Amino acid sequence: MRRGSRIKKKEMIGFIEENARRGSDNTDFDEHYAKISAELKELQKIKTQYTEQQARQDSFQRRIEDMKKFLKTADCKLSEFDNQLDAGKRYH
């Protein structure tokens, strides 16, 4: 994504320089400039979405790791057994 954005920015700079050399109002330039601008905006949108998705995935992964650590250290021993709990599972 960075590469595509960099390429589009270079392309836009090239067109700006070309238009400055010509010194005239060029409809083709304006159309191409608008097209490149739209493509850059789309690339920025995709980059933002990707970054947000990565942040969510990183956060989710940290939560999983925290849960694993907790479960490794948690004392889950039963001090007594209740037959009522076992019976309820069978009939419901």
Side-chain angles (χ1 to χ4, degrees):
M1 265 183 272
R2 284 185 186 159
R3 185 169 183 246
S5 178
R6 227 178 307 147
I7 290 169
K8 290 295 173 187
K9 286 178 182 177
K10 284 182 181 180
E11 187 178 346
M12 185 175 286
I13 290 169
F15 279 109
I16 291 169
E17 289 172 348
E18 181 182 330
N19 193 52
R21 279 192 297 270
R22 289 183 184 180
S24 63
D25 187 26
N26 188 342
T27 304
D28 291 337
F29 168 82
D30 294 340
E31 290 173 2
H32 203 79
Y33 184 89
K35 180 183 174 195
I36 294 172
S37 291
E39 290 172 355
L40 281 170
K41 285 179 184 178
E42 184 62 25
L43 286 170
Q44 184 62 40
K45 179 181 170 185
I46 292 168
K47 179 182 175 186
T48 299
Q49 290 171 343
Y50 176 79
T51 302
E52 290 171 353
Q53 180 183 13
Q54 285 299 115
R56 283 190 300 272
Q57 288 176 345
D58 291 347
S59 175
F60 183 70
Q61 190 63 37
R62 281 192 302 276
R63 287 179 26 214
I64 290 173
E65 293 302 319
D66 289 345
M67 289 170 53
K68 284 180 181 178
K69 287 177 188 175
F70 171 77
L71 292 173
K72 284 181 181 179
T73 61
D75 182 15
C76 297
K77 295 178 185 174
L78 295 175
S79 57
E80 61 184 65
F81 180 76
D82 186 348
N83 281 327
Q84 292 292 65
L85 291 174
D86 188 45
K89 289 182 182 176
R90 285 189 213 149
Y91 301 111
H92 290 278

